[in-house]
Amino acid sequence: MAGELSGALPPLKACLEAILMVVDEPVTDVVLAQVIERPKGEVADALRELAEEYTQQRRGFELREVGIGDGSASGTTGWRMYSRPECAPVVERFVRDGQQAKLTQAALETLAVVAYRQPVSRSKVSAIRGVNCDGVMRTLLARGLVEECGTEHETGALLYQTTGYFLERMGLKSLEELPDLAPLLPTAAEVEEEA
């Protein structure tokens, strides 16, 4: 791509914003640097500055660095614009007309099991949830949130893991950013009260 751009370009941040407004998936700083024909370090610094500026200005959107690729801990990240979480009620009202299909409670529970226990087999997910999850797993596969990642050595069962698309949709750089489950689990006393 080098040498294709001619004439004076707008400032670096303006170029980055223009590209980030049209991408439909996160883009790496390396790709941005190649397209704009600027050093990778300069582009990475400008991206971080933009992210900080948007936060300081309390804009309705934010620039996030999120994990991309196959969902593994490869460390590959990309940049993408997201609506700011505080604006969620307004955005939800706008898209509520059915344009976005929501995941069912069963799908969310199954996705959580895969995210925290991956790689994991369908039978293990079903055992943890206490119900058969075959249909839900097919839905998650079809939506690109989970993928096959090999077979279990002992049983030969297919194993599943989350995808880069999962990280993107959750706004995470890596699986290490998943919240800790311990504070969300009931205490022993609460379990005894329910029994």
Side-chain angles (χ1 to χ4, degrees):
M1 283 189 224
E4 291 181 15
L5 296 176
S6 61
L9 289 177
L12 174 59
K13 289 181 182 178
C15 291
L16 292 171
E17 287 174 324
I19 294 169
L20 291 166
M21 292 300 295
V22 298
V23 298
D24 58 353
E25 57 186 44
V27 61
T28 66
D29 49 7
V30 172
V31 169
L32 290 168
Q34 289 172 345
V35 169
I36 299 172
E37 297 179 351
R38 300 287 279 273
K40 177 185 173 284
E42 187 179 342
V43 169
D45 290 343
L47 289 165
R48 286 186 193 83
E49 289 172 16
L50 280 172
E52 287 178 32
E53 289 171 17
Y54 299 152
T55 299
Q56 289 172 355
Q57 296 168 3
R58 302 188 65 200
R59 304 297 291 264
F61 56 89
E62 62 187 5
L63 180 58
R64 287 190 212 158
E65 184 178 16
V66 297
I68 59 175
D70 62 6
S72 67
S74 67
T76 304
T77 61
W79 294 84
R80 184 174 177 196
M81 299 280 196
Y82 290 86
S83 58
R84 196 163 294 282
E86 304 89 81
C87 297
V90 177
V91 174
E92 286 174 17
R93 177 180 281 167
F94 179 76
V95 297
R96 196 176 299 155
D97 62 7
Q99 291 178 353
Q100 282 197 340
K102 294 182 179 179
L103 292 176
T104 64
Q105 185 68 29
L108 289 172
E109 290 172 7
T110 302
L111 186 56
V113 171
V114 174
Y116 282 94
R117 301 294 293 263
Q118 62 187 305
V120 64
S121 67
R122 283 187 193 201
S123 60
K124 178 82 82 171
V125 174
S126 293
I128 291 169
R129 289 200 55 237
V131 295
N132 185 309
C133 70
D134 289 349
V136 175
M137 286 295 284
R138 281 192 296 276
T139 299
L140 295 174
L141 281 163
R143 291 194 180 186
L145 295 167
V146 299
E147 64 188 0
E148 295 176 2
C149 64
T151 56
E152 198 169 50
H153 179 67
E154 298 83 28
T155 65
L158 285 174
L159 295 174
Y160 297 89
Q161 66 184 11
T162 55
T163 63
Y165 181 65
F166 166 80
L167 292 175
E168 176 189 338
R169 299 302 297 169
M170 296 299 292
L172 303 171
K173 289 183 187 178
S174 69
L175 294 172
E176 286 77 36
E177 288 187 351
L178 283 171
D180 185 23
L181 283 182
L184 304 174
L185 297 175
T187 63
E190 290 171 330
V191 172
E192 284 181 23
E193 283 178 22
E194 290 180 14

